[in-house]
Amino acid sequence: MAETRNHILSEIEDPGIALVTINHPDKLNALNLEVLEELEGLLNELKSDSSVRGVIITGGGGKAFVAGADIAELKSLDSKAGARLSKKGQNVFKLIEILPKPVVAAVNGFALGGGAELAMACHIRLASSKAVFGLPEVSLGLIPGYGGTQRLTQLVGRGIAMEMILSGRQVPADEAASAGLVNRVVSDEDLITEAKELLGKILANGPVAIKKAIRAVNEAGGGQGFEMESKLFGELCDTEDFKEGTAAFIEKRKPTFKGR
Ligand code: COA
């Protein structure tokens, strides 16, 4: 079965692996609201489709996994709409995290902002040697809003998470692997094959155990961090710095922040 949405391709291959490709490469697969909604619909279908046993998520076009939330769309947000969008992104990515079928991110290029957050919501991350990870939201006068402040901290610990989030520095695949942000790095040509092989091994195990293992691992952590993230993301949308940061990206210039 192959199904095409406007921005997402999905096909199901033996032995029940759904290959999901975020696919609007002209904008480096940036997550606008339409993409988020398509992803939400698709995840709900994959959840209830008993022929689907595992999922791979990757990016189309060969340059990016996903280069973040769509900055052109973010630009006009105010605090209310910002908090709402953050909650929406968190909720869609939560669907991935709690999917009772293993989800592997095959990160094949830029995974920035919402793209890194999408990868982090997956159960396992494989990166191609050309993958690059980063949370550059502060360069836009913003913070990660789709779970990144929480999941990065869980994956790599507070120190590295703090450095990546405060500096916005982009991290190459091998550094991401040594930090624990990705499970391992493979060659770009082998990325999807390796993801399928890994899922094949997982799917040979007891299906009920796999489902319950995902649930049990997801119980680690917790707390009110996601709530706080959305609230602060929304507050930042009302700042002059955020207007300046997003306008500067779109106008392809350096931002001048005033601290208000
Ligand atoms: N939102 C909206 N558009 C985006 C985007 C995003 N997150 N990331 C890339 N694009 C668009 C660019 O505006 C450009 O569009 P154009 O061709 O109409 O001008 C196109 O995708 C290609 O990107 P470009 O910046 O020209 O490619 P590059 O190779 O010079 O740089 C990146 C690649 C990923 C380093 C750069 O695009 C980038 O920094 N993107 C934003 C990352 C980010 O801040 N994400 C977090 C958002 S919260």
Side-chain angles (χ1 to χ4, degrees):
M1 183 194 97
E3 194 179 334
T4 309
R5 291 169 156 80
N6 279 341
H7 299 305
I8 303 184
L9 307 172
S10 76
E11 48 190 310
I12 299 170
E13 300 176 7
D14 280 343
I17 295 175
L19 179 60
V20 173
T21 307
I22 313 290
N23 192 45
H24 65 125
D26 54 318
K27 293 290 175 193
L28 304 187
N29 306 324
L31 295 174
N32 59 32
L33 195 56
E34 194 183 343
V35 182
L36 269 184
E37 281 177 349
E38 284 187 6
L39 185 59
E40 181 177 33
L42 176 59
L43 289 164
N44 283 322
E45 279 177 27
L46 297 177
K47 183 179 172 191
S48 55
D49 183 342
S50 58
S51 72
V52 174
R53 300 171 62 213
V55 179
I56 296 170
I57 300 181
T58 194
K63 183 168 171 182
F65 174 68
V66 166
D70 187 329
I71 298 168
E73 216 178 61
L74 290 182
K75 196 175 170 293
S76 51
L77 294 176
D78 62 12
S79 60
K80 243 184 171 165
R84 207 165 43 233
L85 179 69
S86 163
K87 262 277 153 258
K88 171 90 186 175
Q90 286 186 2
N91 289 343
V92 175
F93 289 1
K94 187 84 181 169
L95 286 177
I96 299 175
E97 188 172 78
I98 63 171
L99 201 77
K101 308 174 182 192
V103 185
V104 176
V107 183
N108 55 335
F110 288 111
L112 301 177
E117 292 171 298
L118 169 62
M120 289 191 278
C122 295
H123 300 134
I124 297 170
R125 282 149 295 287
L126 298 185
S128 97
S129 45
K130 67 186 182 63
V132 176
F133 294 81
L135 290 167
E137 284 84 350
V138 287
S139 71
L140 302 168
L142 205 53
I143 60 170
Y146 297 173
T149 61
Q150 306 305 296
R151 293 199 177 94
L152 185 64
T153 308
Q154 286 170 0
L155 283 167
V156 304
R158 249 172 110 89
I160 293 176
M162 210 50 112
E163 185 201 331
M164 283 185 67
I165 290 168
L166 298 187
S167 70
R169 184 168 73 86
Q170 294 183 13
V171 170
D174 53 353
E175 187 180 338
S178 53
L181 175 47
V182 299
N183 294 64
R184 62 192 142 85
V185 182
V186 302
S187 72
D188 196 46
E189 320 72 89
D190 293 338
L191 180 63
I192 300 297
T193 310
E194 293 262 354
K196 285 181 185 163
E197 275 177 24
L198 174 57
L199 274 176
K201 281 183 194 141
I202 293 171
L203 296 175
N205 296 314
V208 185
I210 295 301
K211 201 158 108 178
K212 292 200 187 292
I214 291 171
R215 214 170 139 193
V217 174
N218 280 342
E219 286 302 313
Q224 296 303 307
F226 285 89
E227 283 294 325
M228 179 56 77
E229 183 187 86
S230 290
K231 181 174 171 290
L232 299 174
F233 183 96
E235 286 173 11
L236 283 162
C237 291
D238 270 349
T239 64
E240 284 179 33
D241 284 352
F242 164 71
K243 307 288 176 218
E244 166 64 8
T246 49
F249 177 81
I250 287 161
E251 292 158 19
K252 300 188 189 293
R253 62 173 172 81
K254 275 200 180 322
T256 307
F257 291 123
K258 296 197 173 125
R260 48 179 191 257

